[in-house]
């Protein structure tokens, strides 16, 4: 009987591992497909050639898609865990959700941490250096030469980062034990380096989120149709039409030799057309869309922003005056044991809404910063390199870091 029980336990463990692996693979496959279509939506179609650079672009595209899928999975893990916990509390004995257990959730968190480290330290640097590589001078050009140059660059980058961390550790904590711990690459160095990068991400998040919260009202105001209060849209459209016709006549009358004035006039005409399109859209909008949707969305944004700020203030106050609110090293109750919110399912749903709202606000705030505003992806017009115009007026392709590409890439 004991042998049969042991075999049965081993079979259950095996089936549980197979089920969890299958679910993780299916979830990642869905994220990868969605990430691929997102990148294909913004990637410039003219970059697709059939040569060596095209193969390099495909490999970089695969690595970028994999990284985006891992990032999306890491971002969605917290809402997924909250939803899973509430579902298990609501239906504890349901046969069809037995696969949704604590082992699966912990496994997803471990996989997200593992692949995040892999993407951060290996795949993303490899994709960047591989895209910029040409092969060492004197070697035969080809994919192998570019891979060799990429690997050498990765090794040099790893040595550079290791030296910087060593110097920083010597300046902060000049202790023999801390210096020897840096030799432990897997148990200490990589988690320490990942924590430092996570700290930089948190600082960037603290900078982007308030900016995004303030910009959300402006962004939604541009996307939605505002109420037409004491406005005559017909008169505005008539005036903007006259201005468009005047600019068109002036543009037709300019000589082709006056290139600077023509470019300036074309840009002004494009701005006028954009303004005319917005006015026509406001005129065609229904009364419900103008007078109900816009105020409701603005009130909802105000409520969500107020709740977010209030929760942050309460958590900071609890951390300052209550020692029990500090994070502990011990593991709390397992998933499905207790609700994560004091208000039950309603509180959990509110937390998920606030999480997504803060995510969107952080992205909006990130692209609203002056130093990152030029990296906003454009539909069918986003490349691996950034196209800028030099002072001489000659167009050349530069990567996001500003390093000049090879003549072949240009």
């Amino acid at each position: 009987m004991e042998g049969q029980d042991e075999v049965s336990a081993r079979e259950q463990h095996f089936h549980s591992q197979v089920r969890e692996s299958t679910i993780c693979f299916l979830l990642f496959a869905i994220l990868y497909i969605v990430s691929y279509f997102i990148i294909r939506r913004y990637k410039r179609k003219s970059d697709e050639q059939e040569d060596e650079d095209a193969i390099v672009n495909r490999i970089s595209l695969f690595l970028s898609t994999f990284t985006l899928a891992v990032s999306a999975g890491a971002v969605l893990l917290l809402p997924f865990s909250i939803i899973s916990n509430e579902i298990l509390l609501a239906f504890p004995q349901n046969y069809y959700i037995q696969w949704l257990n604590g082992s699966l959730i912990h496994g997803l968190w471990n996989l997200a941490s593992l692949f995040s480290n892999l993407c951060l330290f290996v795949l993303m640097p490899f994709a960047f250096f591989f895209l910029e590589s040409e092969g060492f001078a004197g070697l035969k050009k080809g994919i192998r030469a570019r891979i060799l140059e990429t690997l050498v660059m990765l090794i040099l980058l790893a040595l550079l980062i290791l030296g910087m961390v060593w110097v920083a550790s010597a300046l902060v904590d000049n202790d023999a034990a801390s210096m020897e711990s840096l030799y432990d690459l897997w148990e200490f160095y990589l988690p320490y380096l990942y924590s430092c990068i996570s700290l930089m991400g948190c600082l960037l998040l603290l900078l982007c989120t308030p900016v995004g919260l303030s910009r959300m009202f402006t962004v939604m105001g541009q996307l939605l149709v505002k109420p037409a209060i004491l406005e005559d849209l017909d008169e505005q459209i008539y005036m903007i039409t006259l201005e468009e016709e005047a600019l068109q006549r002036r543009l037709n009358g300019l000589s082709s030799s006056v290139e600077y004035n023509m470019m300036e006039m074309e840009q002004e005409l494009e701005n006028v057309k954009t303004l005319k399109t917005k006015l026509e859209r406001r005129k065609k909008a229904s009364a419900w869309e103008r007078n109900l949707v816009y105020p409701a969305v603005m009130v909802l944004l105000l409520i969500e922003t107020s709740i977010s700020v209030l929760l942050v203030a309460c958590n900071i106050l609890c951390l300052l005056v209550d020692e029990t609110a500090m994070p502990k090293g011990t593991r709390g109750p397992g998933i499905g044991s207790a609700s994560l919110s004091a208000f039950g399912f309603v509180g959990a749903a509110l937390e998920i809404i606030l999480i997504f709202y803060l995510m969107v606000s952080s992205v909006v705030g990130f692209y609203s910063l002056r130093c990152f505003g030029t990296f906003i992806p454009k539909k069918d017009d986003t490349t691996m390199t950034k196209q800028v115009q030099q002072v001489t007026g000659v167009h050349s392709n530069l990567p996001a870091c500003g390093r000049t590409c090879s003549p072949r890439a240009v």
Side-chain angles (χ1 to χ4, degrees):
M1 295 294 294
E2 294 181 358
Q4 293 180 355
D5 293 340
E6 181 179 357
V7 172
S8 178
R10 290 174 57 188
E11 289 180 352
Q12 291 179 2
H13 179 70
F14 172 77
H15 291 306
S16 176
Q17 293 295 322
V18 172
R19 180 178 63 249
E20 293 178 8
S21 301
T22 304
I23 294 173
C24 293
F25 175 78
L26 291 176
L27 292 176
F28 181 78
I30 294 173
L31 291 176
Y32 185 88
I33 293 173
V34 174
S35 302
Y36 177 78
F37 281 109
I38 291 175
I39 293 180
R40 293 286 296 181
R41 175 182 176 84
Y42 290 99
K43 187 176 181 298
R44 181 179 293 179
K45 302 299 188 294
S46 59
D47 291 342
E48 300 175 356
Q49 309 104 4
E50 292 297 332
D51 54 6
E52 179 183 321
D53 288 337
I55 299 176
V56 174
N57 286 331
R58 289 196 196 99
I59 296 175
S60 300
L61 177 64
F62 164 75
L63 297 178
S64 302
T65 306
F66 186 88
T67 303
L68 181 59
V70 172
S71 302
V75 167
L76 296 176
L77 261 182
L78 182 58
F80 181 77
S81 301
I82 297 175
I83 294 174
S84 302
N85 183 73
E86 298 301 324
I87 291 177
L88 289 176
L89 284 176
F91 308 98
Q93 304 298 330
N94 196 319
Y95 174 78
Y96 296 101
I97 60 171
Q98 292 302 312
W99 57 272
L100 196 64
N101 49 32
S103 177
L104 174 64
I105 302 301
H106 290 301
L108 289 174
W109 279 99
N110 293 332
L111 288 177
S113 176
L114 174 63
F115 284 110
S116 297
N117 283 276
L118 178 65
C119 294
L120 183 61
F121 297 118
V122 180
L123 298 185
M124 292 175 61
F126 182 87
F128 176 77
F129 288 122
F130 189 52
L131 191 65
E132 295 292 310
S133 64
E134 298 179 5
F136 292 111
L139 295 179
K140 184 180 179 180
K141 301 298 182 180
I143 299 297
R144 293 184 179 180
R146 301 180 75 160
I147 292 176
L148 178 62
E149 181 185 352
T150 303
L151 294 178
V152 172
M153 293 297 296
L154 286 178
I155 294 174
L156 294 177
L157 178 63
L159 293 176
L160 176 63
I161 295 177
L162 179 62
M164 293 173 60
V165 173
W166 219 306
V167 171
S169 179
L171 293 176
V172 175
D173 188 10
N174 192 8
D175 188 8
S178 63
M179 299 297 291
E180 291 178 359
S181 62
L182 289 175
Y183 289 108
D184 195 351
L185 185 66
W186 185 259
E187 294 292 335
F188 178 81
Y189 178 73
L190 283 181
Y192 173 73
L193 185 60
Y194 187 77
S195 300
C196 293
I197 297 176
S198 299
L199 177 61
M200 296 174 59
C202 291
L203 295 178
L204 182 62
L205 186 67
L206 290 176
L207 177 63
C208 296
T209 305
V211 177
L213 290 176
S214 61
R215 284 279 300 170
M216 283 295 292
F217 296 91
T218 304
V219 172
M220 295 306 297
Q222 294 174 353
L223 296 177
L224 299 176
V225 178
K226 298 181 181 180
I229 301 176
L230 301 178
E231 284 184 326
D232 191 353
L233 294 179
D234 294 329
E235 182 179 355
Q236 294 184 18
I237 293 175
Y238 177 72
M239 294 175 61
I240 206 71
T241 302
L242 293 179
E243 185 177 357
E244 180 185 1
E245 294 176 354
L247 287 173
Q248 189 68 47
R249 286 194 299 268
R250 290 175 58 189
L251 186 61
N252 295 333
L254 284 176
S255 175
S256 59
S257 60
V258 191
E259 183 178 355
Y260 178 76
N261 291 335
M262 288 188 64
M263 293 178 58
E264 195 176 79
M265 200 72 65
E266 288 177 355
Q267 182 64 35
E268 187 176 355
L269 181 61
E270 187 67 26
N271 296 334
V272 170
K273 289 182 178 179
T274 303
L275 181 59
K276 181 181 178 181
T277 303
K278 292 181 179 180
L279 291 175
E280 290 177 348
R281 180 175 178 269
R282 291 183 60 186
K283 182 180 179 181
K284 294 179 181 178
S286 62
W288 289 97
E289 185 178 358
R290 289 197 306 266
N291 302 324
L292 182 61
V293 176
Y294 181 84
V297 171
M298 289 301 166
V299 171
L300 183 62
L301 288 178
L302 181 61
I303 294 174
E304 290 181 347
T305 305
S306 303
I307 294 176
S308 301
V309 174
L310 181 62
L311 289 178
V312 171
C314 292
N315 289 329
I316 293 176
L317 185 62
C318 290
L319 291 175
L320 291 176
V321 301
D322 189 5
E323 294 183 356
T324 61
M326 297 296 292
K328 305 296 182 180
T330 57
R331 182 178 297 179
I335 185 171
S337 302
S339 179
L340 299 177
S341 175
F343 300 98
F345 180 79
V346 177
L350 179 61
E351 288 181 357
I352 294 174
I353 294 174
L354 291 178
I355 288 173
F356 283 108
Y357 175 65
L358 292 177
M359 288 180 186
V360 176
S361 301
S362 302
V363 174
V364 172
F366 177 81
Y367 286 116
S368 298
L369 297 178
R370 182 174 299 179
C371 52
F372 300 112
T374 57
F375 297 104
I376 300 177
K378 299 179 181 179
K379 181 181 177 182
D380 298 331
D381 195 27
T382 305
T383 61
M384 297 291 184
T385 55
K386 182 175 177 56
Q387 190 176 35
V388 298
Q389 186 175 4
Q390 297 179 349
V391 179
T392 58
V394 180
H395 291 275
S396 62
N397 287 334
L398 295 181
C401 67
R403 175 172 171 261
T404 305
C405 294
S406 62
R408 177 176 56 220
V410 176

